[in-house]
Amino acid sequence: MNRTSIIALGIFAAILAYFLSFGADSTRRLQAGFYSLISPFLKTGSGLQKSITSVSSGLKTLEEVERDNSALKVENRSLRATNQALRDVEHEVNRLRRALAYRERALFRLVPAEIVARDSSTWWRTVTINRGKNDHIESELPVVTDEGLVGKTTTVGDNISIVLLLSDENCRVAATIEGSKEQGIVTGERVSGSVTPVLELNFLTRQANLQPGRKVYTSGVGGVFPPGLLIGTVLSFRMRELDGQARITPAVDLSHLEDVFVVTGNK
């Protein structure tokens, strides 16, 4: 053992002998002083432990919140899907209600039909319906919805028929304009499948000067379409060299046809 170790051991023994010489009261006072000295450190350690416990508890709560948030997202998606389904049902009910009301108040005999086919190559020209000769359908009969004129039947089979739409350039309809004595011929225009067609009302007088928003109806001339069926509304008017021409927005959205009626005669 070296000299430094011997000196340190001697000092420790002296200190120990000094403390052992104290009485019980002195020992308690010494302990109290010692605890007073270290109590701030003990409190700090206790506060640190509480903080760690609190953080741990907070982390647990965040995990629970995350789980609740995920559950709410799933429930929200489910509710949106349910809401959309209810909206679809409401739309279907309202559509059928309007169709039924139109059929009851119409002045014509109407045969209801559904669109069963639509060729993309003839999107704006023809549709196929699920009615034919077995349902007393013939060619050259008007086809309508509760909103207005759609077109006319052409080729008719036993259970299906082809409908030539207003938007086809070969579908010609004699027309008149509300609040005017002007008459003309409505025809479709040839467009690509991605472009919504606008109808043309030709052979008007140059003085017609039709304002946008005026309604255009069938005049009954020609015998195919009865008078009074709504065709559409005036979009614009222009004078040409020999006559006037109006562009017409169709009353019926021809791109979203679902159900139609075939006019088979007067009631």
Side-chain angles (χ1 to χ4, degrees), residues 99-156:
L100 180 61
Y102 175 72
R103 186 178 184 182
E104 290 178 347
R105 71 174 184 270
L107 301 177
F108 319 106
R109 293 196 306 272
L110 301 176
V111 176
E114 295 180 10
I115 307 299
V116 295
R118 188 163 194 162
D119 189 345
S120 59
S121 64
T122 60
W123 184 264
W124 296 113
R125 298 198 287 277
T126 62
V127 294
T128 303
I129 60 174
N130 63 342
R131 300 292 183 184
K133 293 177 181 178
N134 293 339
D135 305 288
H136 309 291
I137 304 299
E138 303 172 357
S139 62
E140 298 292 304
L141 292 180
V143 178
V144 300
T145 71
D146 59 302
E147 296 178 324
L149 184 63
V150 170
K152 64 179 181 178
T153 58
T154 54
T155 304
V156 178

Side-chain angles (χ1 to χ4, degrees), residues 14-53:
I15 293 172
L16 181 61
Y18 173 74
F19 284 130
L20 290 174
S21 67
F22 288 169
D25 292 339
S26 297
T27 301
R28 281 194 294 271
R29 284 196 297 271
L30 182 61
Q31 289 175 339
F34 177 72
Y35 285 130
S36 296
L37 182 64
I38 68 172
S39 63
F41 300 100
L42 294 175
K43 289 179 180 178
T44 301
S46 177
L48 181 60
Q49 183 179 5
K50 288 180 180 178
S51 297
I52 293 173
T53 303

Side-chain angles (χ1 to χ4, degrees), residues 23-235:
D25 292 339
S26 297
T27 301
R28 281 194 294 271
R29 284 196 297 271
L30 182 61
Q31 289 175 339
F34 177 72
Y35 285 130
S36 296
L37 182 64
I38 68 172
S39 63
F41 300 100
L42 294 175
K43 289 179 180 178
T44 301
S46 177
L48 181 60
Q49 183 179 5
K50 288 180 180 178
S51 297
I52 293 173
T53 303
S54 176
V55 170
S56 176
S57 175
L59 289 175
K60 248 170 138 181
T61 303
L62 286 174
E63 289 176 1
E64 292 172 356
V65 168
E66 184 64 28
R67 287 196 299 268
D68 291 344
N69 190 41
S70 298
L72 286 173
K73 286 181 179 179
V74 172
E75 183 179 0
N76 189 37
R77 285 195 296 267
S78 177
L79 288 173
R80 284 202 303 267
T82 301
N83 186 46
Q84 185 59 49
L86 290 174
R87 288 179 181 273
D88 291 342
V89 170
E90 181 182 19
H91 170 74
E92 184 71 10
V93 169
N94 290 336
R95 184 175 61 82
L96 293 175
R97 184 181 290 129
R98 289 194 304 269
L100 180 61
Y102 175 72
R103 186 178 184 182
E104 290 178 347
R105 71 174 184 270
L107 301 177
F108 319 106
R109 293 196 306 272
L110 301 176
V111 176
E114 295 180 10
I115 307 299
V116 295
R118 188 163 194 162
D119 189 345
S120 59
S121 64
T122 60
W123 184 264
W124 296 113
R125 298 198 287 277
T126 62
V127 294
T128 303
I129 60 174
N130 63 342
R131 300 292 183 184
K133 293 177 181 178
N134 293 339
D135 305 288
H136 309 291
I137 304 299
E138 303 172 357
S139 62
E140 298 292 304
L141 292 180
V143 178
V144 300
T145 71
D146 59 302
E147 296 178 324
L149 184 63
V150 170
K152 64 179 181 178
T153 58
T154 54
T155 304
V156 178
D158 290 337
N159 298 300
I160 62 171
S161 299
I162 304 299
V163 176
L164 185 67
L165 299 176
L166 272 176
S167 49
D168 187 276
E169 60 185 354
N170 294 313
C171 187
R172 301 175 181 275
V173 185
T176 185
I177 300 91
E178 67 170 346
S180 170
K181 295 181 180 181
E182 293 285 339
Q183 294 193 25
I185 302 295
V186 172
T187 61
E189 59 177 356
R190 184 171 292 278
V191 296
S192 64
S194 61
V195 179
T196 302
V198 174
L199 308 178
E200 295 178 348
L201 176 55
N202 299 304
F203 308 117
L204 300 170
T205 66
R206 287 168 51 85
Q207 294 76 32
N209 193 26
L210 300 179
Q211 298 301 311
R214 299 279 287 274
K215 295 186 183 300
V216 180
Y217 297 92
T218 55
S219 66
V221 176
V224 175
F225 302 98
L229 298 176
L230 180 61
I231 298 173
T233 55
V234 174
L235 182 63

